[in-house]
Amino acid sequence: MNKALVKGEKDVMEHKELETLFSESKIKERVAELAKEITHDYEGKKPVFVGVLNGAFAFFSDLVRAAELDAEVDFLRASSYEGTETSGEVSLSLSMKCDVQEKDVIIVEDILDTGNTLKKLHSELMKMNPSSVKTAVLLDKPSRRVNDFKADYVCFEIPDLFVVGYGLDYNEKYRNLPFVAVYKGNE
Ligand code: IMP
Ligand code: MG
């Protein structure tokens, strides 16, 4: 094994079904830019960042720590994927601890794909009488959209590829990788 390889690259070599798309340092750089934009947009406000588990855990944690805001954090759960295919039906668990009434909510999600999850989440949160609801996503696959949903903050747009790592999974695997990779195990 070449000693010059960083940890992430070594992992990819061990997982031959993965091809790095965004390195750990590239993600860090882009998340910092997005956090700066959010910090600027929410200056003087106290937003509630709502992370969508499980996929958003890594992005959420890095984003909220980089945003220089007097913010609250909360989580909810959503699932729709089985393997590399979306089941189309979105199951939500809105057991949030924060009262978002009259608050500025920022939903943080790993990836915007068909748009079913965020569209449904956005409308459910709007029913709780917040002041505003915006969405921040790590990845956006615009070519996959089945509705008109658009995220307010996007780190990276990607083509129609199935990706894993930095929170994203293939059947619950690879979430803990520090980089984003294309999953090629189905080819
Ligand atoms: P949507 O409802 O179709 O927009 O799907 C959103 C959810 O599907 C995301 O929160 C992910 O959990 C999952 N998903 C979509 N694309 C991918 C992918 O490429 N890799 C892993 N999970 C994905
Ligand atoms: Mg998800």
Side-chain angles (χ1 to χ4, degrees), residues 52 78 90 92 107 109 111-127 133 135 137 145-151:
V52 184
V90 182
L92 298 179
I107 305 174
E109 172 65 311
I111 189 164
L112 177 53
D113 185 40
T114 63
N116 287 330
T117 307
L118 275 179
K119 191 172 176 138
K120 189 163 176 193
L121 263 179
H122 191 274
S123 72
E124 288 300 318
L125 280 158
M126 284 305 283
K127 290 181 195 162
V133 179
T135 52
V137 298
R145 207 78 84 252
V146 297
N147 52 42
D148 57 0
F149 195 87
K150 285 196 175 67

Side-chain angles (χ1 to χ4, degrees), residues 49-65:
F49 286 94
V50 177
V52 184
L53 295 173
N54 293 334
F57 83 91
F59 175 47
F60 181 90
S61 163
D62 288 343
L63 185 72
V64 299
R65 286 178 300 163

